[in-house]
Amino acid sequence: MKKTISTLALLLLIALTTNACAAGREHFKDTTPKATLDTLKYDSLMKKLANGDKSGRWPVKTKEYPLPGAILPFNRVVAYYGNLYSKNMGVLGQYPRKTMLNKLKEEVKNWEQADTSTSVVPALHYICVTAQADAGRNGLHNLRMPFSQIDTVISWAKSINAIVFLDIQVGFSTVQTELPLLEKYMKMPNVHLGIDPEFSMKEGSVPGKRIGTFDADDINYVTGYLAKLVKKNNLPPKIFVVHRFTKRMVTNYKNIKLRPEVQVVMDMDGWGPPELKKGTYKYFISDEPVQFTGFKLFYKNDIKNKPNRMLTPKEVLNLKPAPIYIQYQ
């Protein structure tokens, strides 16, 4: 004969078990190590980047620290920029893979020697949406690169422990349209973002005929979008690069919202002789502070006019503030 348990006894057993579990939870301590941000070091490094700036603009005052795992300002990023289909858009597509990666590694060494106190992270900054003079089949004056090309760049970066930036030139489109198409890549912890206001043709001009523009609202859309991905997927903060070399390229900069999930870099994107580039950096990057700064160096265009030379790493590091993101085209 099978033994049975009464309903009353069963209820009593459940109650005793529940109470025991609750008591256990009260005494249980979660010993899992939690990632933290060294805020003292962060503050010290931000002050160092200000380079003794007396204007009060640098370092930028923010209410919140970045999430743990932030790359900046603990490291300097040195990136090669371009597109695999073009030898004229930047060094990334100008040379065969092995040659290009070796050149990048040499530049990384140069920056490590110029600032021995800051580690350098190599990066490939790939233009994955290129502005076009022709309207194209979509009528948007842009060309979206196939995912196979993006995958290739990511695999190249992995071979040298580099991070990747995907750069968007929207043409007649918008960041609100283009960014979601890259979501599967933005979910990757090693992939970051760049946008180029020069080719955001809000007024309907053909790309290349006039310089385009983004507003703080566009930039805030991007940081909000990236912040949600970071939180949802438990990612380290994203670096978000905004290129700039005129005032109109970024309007209402004071309205740009900073978020712990995103590190915003305003990148001086102009080319020319050293003094011209310094002036552009001062007026459109240093004088209109957002968070971090970047500086682009052109292997070809910077040496076209006298004194026919590029700025050295030491000269760039003497700027106020010192750029933490360096890009070569």
Side-chain angles (χ1 to χ4, degrees):
M1 183 173 129
K2 292 181 180 179
K3 293 183 179 180
T4 61
I5 185 167
S6 70
T7 302
L8 181 60
L10 180 60
L11 291 173
L12 180 61
L13 179 62
I14 291 172
L16 290 172
T17 304
T18 301
N19 290 336
C21 291
R25 281 197 298 271
E26 288 177 2
H27 293 91
F28 175 76
K29 291 184 179 180
D30 185 0
T31 58
T32 305
K34 299 293 192 297
T36 58
L37 184 89
D38 188 337
T39 56
L40 290 178
K41 185 175 182 180
Y42 181 91
D43 289 339
S44 174
L45 291 173
M46 293 298 284
K47 184 177 179 180
K48 177 190 170 189
L49 285 177
N51 257 353
D53 176 71
K54 303 297 185 183
S55 68
R57 290 186 288 266
W58 302 95
V60 172
K61 297 174 179 63
T62 58
K63 295 180 180 179
E64 298 181 270
Y65 289 101
L67 296 180
I71 292 175
L72 310 177
F74 305 99
N75 307 272
R76 177 166 282 107
V77 175
V78 173
Y80 264 13
Y81 171 94
N83 180 279
L84 298 186
Y85 287 135
S86 172
K87 293 185 177 182
N88 297 320
M89 293 183 73
V91 63
L92 175 56
Q94 185 177 354
Y95 299 98
R97 178 189 64 85
K98 187 175 181 179
T99 301
M100 181 271 295
L101 293 178
N102 284 337
K103 286 176 67 68
L104 174 57
K105 287 189 283 187
E106 285 300 314
E107 292 294 2
V108 166
K109 290 179 182 178
N110 291 337
W111 284 91
E112 289 174 335
Q113 292 170 1
D115 179 5
T116 57
S117 66
T118 306
S119 299
V120 177
V121 175
L124 299 181
H125 195 118
Y126 181 62
I127 315 166
C128 68
V129 181
T130 64
Q132 303 288 313
D134 184 78
R137 285 184 293 179
N138 63 10
L140 295 176
H141 286 268
N142 71 27
L143 181 62
R144 298 167 185 150
M145 298 298 105
F147 285 169
S148 60
Q149 289 283 7
I150 298 176
D151 294 337
T152 295
V153 173
I154 291 174
S155 69
W156 288 4
K158 185 178 180 180
S159 72
I160 61 167
N161 294 317
I163 60 176
V164 172
F165 289 84
L166 299 182
D167 203 273
I168 301 173
Q169 300 175 352
V170 299
F172 281 23
S173 185
T174 64
V175 288
Q176 290 82 352
T177 297
E178 300 299 328
L179 179 54
L181 301 178
L182 300 172
E183 181 167 317
K184 74 172 185 176
Y185 293 108
M186 290 297 113
K187 288 180 179 178
M188 298 179 180
N190 61 323
V191 177
H192 304 268
L193 184 70
I195 61 172
D196 200 339
E198 180 181 0
F199 300 105
S200 171
M201 316 314 296
K202 291 178 180 291
E203 296 180 355
S205 301
V206 173
K209 297 294 184 182
R210 294 187 64 183
I211 295 172
T213 183
F214 277 131
D215 187 69
D217 286 344
D218 299 304
I219 293 170
N220 289 338
Y221 163 80
V222 174
T223 61
Y225 185 95
L226 293 177
K228 289 178 181 177
L229 284 184
V230 167
K231 287 185 284 190
K232 183 177 180 180
N233 297 280
N234 195 29
L235 300 171
K238 293 292 183 185
I239 302 176
F240 173 35
V241 174
V242 182
H243 303 297
R244 188 180 191 188
F245 58 88
T246 71
K247 190 174 185 67
R248 186 177 171 275
M249 284 174 72
V250 176
T251 54
N252 299 308
Y253 81 95
K254 291 182 179 180
N255 295 335
I256 294 173
K257 298 176 183 177
L258 299 182
R259 311 175 195 268
E261 301 85 4
V262 184
Q263 302 196 283
V264 181
V265 176
M266 303 303 292
D267 178 45
M268 200 294 287
D269 194 28
W271 60 268
E275 293 307 311
L276 177 61
K277 291 176 73 81
K278 289 179 184 179
T280 302
Y281 182 81
K282 179 185 185 306
Y283 292 118
F284 308 122
I285 305 296
S286 179
D287 284 359
E288 298 198 354
V290 177
Q291 189 174 24
F292 296 96
T293 69
F295 201 92
K296 183 183 279 192
L297 294 161
F298 293 76
Y299 283 120
K300 296 178 180 179
N301 288 353
D302 281 354
I303 64 173
K304 282 184 176 180
N305 301 317
K306 291 182 179 181
N308 307 109
R309 72 173 185 87
M310 295 169 60
L311 284 161
T312 66
K314 282 290 188 183
E315 288 175 311
V316 174
L317 290 173
N318 284 333
L319 296 169
K320 297 180 189 296
I324 198 67
Y325 171 85
I326 306 297
Q327 186 180 96
Y328 285 89
Q329 181 167 337

